[in-house]
PDB file of all heavy atoms in Angstrom:
ATOM      1  N   LEU A  11    -113.869-329.753  52.871  1.00  0.00           N
ATOM      2  CA  LEU A  11    -113.573-330.737  53.901  1.00  0.00           C
ATOM      3  C   LEU A  11    -113.254-330.025  55.202  1.00  0.00           C
ATOM      4  O   LEU A  11    -112.642-328.956  55.198  1.00  0.00           O
ATOM      5  CB  LEU A  11    -112.384-331.604  53.491  1.00  0.00           C
ATOM      6  CG  LEU A  11    -112.542-332.430  52.215  1.00  0.00           C
ATOM      7  CD1 LEU A  11    -111.233-333.145  51.897  1.00  0.00           C
ATOM      8  CD2 LEU A  11    -113.675-333.427  52.350  1.00  0.00           C
ATOM      9  N   LEU A  12    -113.631-330.649  56.272  1.00  0.00           N
ATOM     10  CA  LEU A  12    -113.287-330.147  57.597  1.00  0.00           C
ATOM     11  C   LEU A  12    -112.289-331.119  58.202  1.00  0.00           C
ATOM     12  O   LEU A  12    -112.557-332.317  58.292  1.00  0.00           O
ATOM     13  CB  LEU A  12    -114.532-330.044  58.487  1.00  0.00           C
ATOM     14  CG  LEU A  12    -114.310-329.548  59.914  1.00  0.00           C
ATOM     15  CD1 LEU A  12    -113.745-328.127  59.921  1.00  0.00           C
ATOM     16  CD2 LEU A  12    -115.608-329.609  60.706  1.00  0.00           C
ATOM     17  N   SER A  13    -111.126-330.602  58.564  1.00  0.00           N
ATOM     18  CA  SER A  13    -110.101-331.454  59.173  1.00  0.00           C
ATOM     19  C   SER A  13    -109.523-330.739  60.390  1.00  0.00           C
ATOM     20  O   SER A  13    -109.695-329.533  60.560  1.00  0.00           O
ATOM     21  CB  SER A  13    -108.991-331.778  58.167  1.00  0.00           C
ATOM     22  OG  SER A  13    -108.304-330.610  57.808  1.00  0.00           O
ATOM     23  N   ALA A  14    -108.837-331.506  61.206  1.00  0.00           N
ATOM     24  CA  ALA A  14    -108.191-330.944  62.388  1.00  0.00           C
ATOM     25  C   ALA A  14    -106.967-331.784  62.730  1.00  0.00           C
ATOM     26  O   ALA A  14    -106.907-332.967  62.403  1.00  0.00           O
ATOM     27  CB  ALA A  14    -109.166-330.936  63.576  1.00  0.00           C
ATOM     28  N   CYS A  15    -105.984-331.145  63.350  1.00  0.00           N
ATOM     29  CA  CYS A  15    -104.760-331.829  63.790  1.00  0.00           C
ATOM     30  C   CYS A  15    -104.830-332.087  65.284  1.00  0.00           C
ATOM     31  O   CYS A  15    -105.303-331.238  66.044  1.00  0.00           O
ATOM     32  CB  CYS A  15    -103.537-330.968  63.509  1.00  0.00           C
ATOM     33  SG  CYS A  15    -103.258-330.660  61.775  1.00  0.00           S
ATOM     34  N   PHE A  16    -104.338-333.262  65.678  1.00  0.00           N
ATOM     35  CA  PHE A  16    -104.345-333.627  67.091  1.00  0.00           C
ATOM     36  C   PHE A  16    -103.023-334.272  67.469  1.00  0.00           C
ATOM     37  O   PHE A  16    -102.434-335.013  66.679  1.00  0.00           O
ATOM     38  CB  PHE A  16    -105.476-334.624  67.394  1.00  0.00           C
ATOM     39  CG  PHE A  16    -106.839-334.065  67.138  1.00  0.00           C
ATOM     40  CD1 PHE A  16    -107.519-334.362  65.962  1.00  0.00           C
ATOM     41  CD2 PHE A  16    -107.445-333.233  68.055  1.00  0.00           C
ATOM     42  CE1 PHE A  16    -108.769-333.852  65.704  1.00  0.00           C
ATOM     43  CE2 PHE A  16    -108.713-332.705  67.822  1.00  0.00           C
ATOM     44  CZ  PHE A  16    -109.369-333.016  66.641  1.00  0.00           C
ATOM     45  N   ILE A  34    -118.044-335.089  62.937  1.00  0.00           N
ATOM     46  CA  ILE A  34    -118.182-333.853  62.171  1.00  0.00           C
ATOM     47  C   ILE A  34    -116.981-333.547  61.281  1.00  0.00           C
ATOM     48  O   ILE A  34    -117.095-332.744  60.365  1.00  0.00           O
ATOM     49  CB  ILE A  34    -118.476-332.641  63.078  1.00  0.00           C
ATOM     50  CG1 ILE A  34    -117.343-332.386  64.071  1.00  0.00           C
ATOM     51  CG2 ILE A  34    -119.815-332.799  63.778  1.00  0.00           C
ATOM     52  CD1 ILE A  34    -117.475-331.098  64.850  1.00  0.00           C
ATOM     53  N   VAL A  35    -115.831-334.187  61.531  1.00  0.00           N
ATOM     54  CA  VAL A  35    -114.671-333.923  60.680  1.00  0.00           C
ATOM     55  C   VAL A  35    -114.580-334.965  59.570  1.00  0.00           C
ATOM     56  O   VAL A  35    -114.995-336.106  59.729  1.00  0.00           O
ATOM     57  CB  VAL A  35    -113.346-333.890  61.482  1.00  0.00           C
ATOM     58  CG1 VAL A  35    -113.358-332.756  62.485  1.00  0.00           C
ATOM     59  CG2 VAL A  35    -113.059-335.213  62.144  1.00  0.00           C
ATOM     60  N   ASP A  36    -114.008-334.524  58.464  1.00  0.00           N
ATOM     61  CA  ASP A  36    -113.772-335.444  57.346  1.00  0.00           C
ATOM     62  C   ASP A  36    -112.444-336.167  57.518  1.00  0.00           C
ATOM     63  O   ASP A  36    -112.307-337.319  57.123  1.00  0.00           O
ATOM     64  CB  ASP A  36    -113.754-334.667  56.023  1.00  0.00           C
ATOM     65  CG  ASP A  36    -115.085-334.014  55.749  1.00  0.00           C
ATOM     66  OD1 ASP A  36    -116.065-334.758  55.557  1.00  0.00           O
ATOM     67  OD2 ASP A  36    -115.150-332.770  55.738  1.00  0.00           O
ATOM     68  N   MET A  37    -111.469-335.477  58.100  1.00  0.00           N
ATOM     69  CA  MET A  37    -110.140-336.053  58.301  1.00  0.00           C
ATOM     70  C   MET A  37    -109.571-335.627  59.642  1.00  0.00           C
ATOM     71  O   MET A  37    -109.764-334.499  60.081  1.00  0.00           O
ATOM     72  CB  MET A  37    -109.189-335.597  57.197  1.00  0.00           C
ATOM     73  CG  MET A  37    -109.494-336.174  55.839  1.00  0.00           C
ATOM     74  SD  MET A  37    -108.290-335.663  54.612  1.00  0.00           S
ATOM     75  CE  MET A  37    -108.870-334.004  54.265  1.00  0.00           C
ATOM     76  N   ILE A  38    -108.858-336.558  60.252  1.00  0.00           N
ATOM     77  CA  ILE A  38    -108.129-336.294  61.490  1.00  0.00           C
ATOM     78  C   ILE A  38    -106.651-336.451  61.165  1.00  0.00           C
ATOM     79  O   ILE A  38    -106.214-337.500  60.709  1.00  0.00           O
ATOM     80  CB  ILE A  38    -108.556-337.267  62.598  1.00  0.00           C
ATOM     81  CG1 ILE A  38    -110.001-336.949  63.011  1.00  0.00           C
ATOM     82  CG2 ILE A  38    -107.607-337.200  63.781  1.00  0.00           C
ATOM     83  CD1 ILE A  38    -110.629-337.968  63.894  1.00  0.00           C
ATOM     84  N   ASN A  39    -105.908-335.374  61.339  1.00  0.00           N
ATOM     85  CA  ASN A  39    -104.470-335.382  61.080  1.00  0.00           C
ATOM     86  C   ASN A  39    -103.759-335.657  62.402  1.00  0.00           C
ATOM     87  O   ASN A  39    -103.747-334.805  63.287  1.00  0.00           O
ATOM     88  CB  ASN A  39    -104.038-334.052  60.474  1.00  0.00           C
ATOM     89  CG  ASN A  39    -104.787-333.781  59.183  1.00  0.00           C
ATOM     90  OD1 ASN A  39    -104.802-334.599  58.282  1.00  0.00           O
ATOM     91  ND2 ASN A  39    -105.437-332.637  59.112  1.00  0.00           N
ATOM     92  N   ASN A  90    -105.208-339.405  58.989  1.00  0.00           N
ATOM     93  CA  ASN A  90    -103.974-339.136  58.246  1.00  0.00           C
ATOM     94  C   ASN A  90    -102.850-339.110  59.257  1.00  0.00           C
ATOM     95  O   ASN A  90    -102.968-338.469  60.305  1.00  0.00           O
ATOM     96  CB  ASN A  90    -104.028-337.775  57.544  1.00  0.00           C
ATOM     97  CG  ASN A  90    -105.074-337.729  56.469  1.00  0.00           C
ATOM     98  OD1 ASN A  90    -105.232-338.668  55.718  1.00  0.00           O
ATOM     99  ND2 ASN A  90    -105.787-336.615  56.400  1.00  0.00           N
TER     100      ASN A  90
END
Side-chain angles (χ1 to χ4, degrees):
L11 299 176
L12 179 62
S13 65
C15 296
F16 297 99
I34 62 172
V35 297
D36 297 295
M37 291 183 281
I38 291 169
N39 302 307
N90 295 318

